[in-house]
Amino acid sequence: AGILLFVGFVILLFFGIRILIIAFRKSFLWGLGCLLVPFVDLIFVALHWNETRSPFLKCLLGLPFLIAGLWLMEASST
């Protein structure tokens, strides 16, 4: 369970940073907004879908790992 959580976290972190780099390349304010304001990154991804499609979809690949890891941790604690 811990390994699945770790893998999912690393995937989300890596591709989240890739999206943040793209935002800072667009403008400093976009990057700052994505870093500090909740949900601005989702707005940025929607507005700049052509550039952010690949890292965003790859970022979503980390979610099943996190969900499976959390599910296994819950199942093992009962």
Side-chain angles (χ1 to χ4, degrees):
I3 293 172
L4 287 173
L5 285 172
F6 179 74
V7 169
F9 178 74
V10 168
I11 291 171
L12 286 171
L13 182 67
F14 180 77
F15 290 108
I17 290 172
R18 299 273 305 166
I19 292 171
L20 191 60
I21 290 169
I22 294 169
F24 271 109
R25 284 184 182 162
K26 283 290 180 186
S27 94
F28 180 73
L29 291 177
W30 267 121
L32 210 57
C34 288
L35 189 61
L36 300 175
V37 181
F39 304 112
V40 169
D41 51 350
L42 294 176
I43 295 169
F44 177 78
V45 167
L47 292 175
H48 300 93
W49 182 248
N50 290 333
E51 297 95 344
T52 59
R53 175 182 39 220
S54 177
F56 179 73
L57 294 176
K58 290 176 184 172
C59 188
L60 292 179
L61 290 175
L63 290 177
F65 288 99
L66 287 175
I67 292 169
L70 289 172
W71 182 73
L72 286 173
M73 286 183 81
E74 179 63 29
S76 67
S77 69
T78 57

